[in-house]
Amino acid sequence: MGFVSSVRARISRGVDLGNHSSEEGSDSPGGIIVETLLNITTVSAFTMEHERFNDFQRSLDTAEPDAAKEGVKQGFVNGLSMFVQQWINALQFWFGAWVLFNNPDDYEMRNFLIAFFGLMLSLFGLGAAFQDISDRKECEESAGRIFYLIDRKSSIDPLSDEGKKLQ
């Protein structure tokens, strides 16, 4: 059950599953934002805010062309994982009731509750532990993308004599 929880948490947070490289380039939404913020004085001086906003809008449209389809898919996966979790809980209660009903002299409700909550709390702990493993990889990939965007040569160079000029 911890595995299902961690998968659902990763999907609902939109975790990068490795299909992006750290070299996204300046056409990505993140690249445009970083480049604009790093050179905000130049953007402001040349009143390029509308141009940068339009570039950002275009990059958002091209970055996720199937946003509705992906939303339906994520909703289905989240619903399916909740369905599986609830059926596992139902099976645990059913089996506990079956054991209590068929062996009333050997087991009592206290035994069932100890076993049930022991299993549930241990699965919650495992789910939290495995979630941290995926977060570390995600952080390393995000840091790689940030360092790539910071280290690359910007297309907005405030020290260059080329490009747009105020008259």
Side-chain angles (χ1 to χ4, degrees):
M1 196 154 97
F3 174 73
V4 174
S5 299
S6 67
V7 168
R8 192 183 66 154
R10 288 182 68 190
I11 290 174
S12 67
R13 287 184 294 150
V15 170
D16 185 5
L17 299 176
N19 54 357
H20 299 286
S21 68
S22 62
E23 301 172 355
E24 283 186 345
S26 63
D27 292 339
S28 69
I32 291 173
I33 289 174
V34 169
E35 184 174 333
T36 303
L37 290 176
L38 287 175
N39 300 297
I40 195 69
T41 55
T42 305
V43 170
S44 178
F46 290 125
T47 62
M48 297 170 55
E49 295 93 351
H50 294 294
E51 183 179 331
R52 298 305 290 173
F53 178 75
N54 291 335
D55 289 344
F56 181 68
Q57 279 295 100
R58 280 192 301 275
S59 69
L60 280 179
D61 293 339
T62 59
E64 295 192 28
D66 297 330
K69 182 180 174 184
E70 287 297 318
V72 169
K73 182 174 132 183
Q74 286 181 359
F76 177 76
V77 170
N78 283 338
L80 182 64
S81 67
M82 286 186 235
F83 177 76
V84 169
Q85 287 178 2
Q86 296 306 318
W87 269 103
I88 290 172
N89 286 338
L91 284 173
Q92 288 174 335
F93 278 115
W94 173 82
F95 184 72
W98 181 83
V99 169
L100 289 175
F101 184 75
N102 290 329
N103 303 305
D105 297 331
D106 298 332
Y107 299 104
E108 55 188 35
M109 186 65 171
R110 182 174 187 267
N111 301 115
F112 167 72
L113 291 175
I114 289 171
F116 180 74
F117 283 111
L119 179 66
M120 292 297 291
L121 293 175
S122 64
L123 289 176
F124 286 143
L126 284 174
F130 286 122
Q131 182 178 0
D132 290 339
I133 291 172
S134 66
D135 287 347
R136 179 181 172 154
K137 184 178 180 197
E138 177 187 349
C139 288
E140 289 173 357
E141 290 174 356
S142 297
R145 284 193 295 271
I146 290 172
F147 284 124
Y148 168 75
L149 291 171
I150 290 174
D151 291 341
R152 71 180 172 80
K153 182 176 177 358
S154 176
S155 62
I156 301 174
D157 188 4
L159 302 176
S160 174
D161 292 332
E162 299 175 359
K164 294 183 180 180
K165 297 182 183 191
L166 290 176
Q167 310 245 350

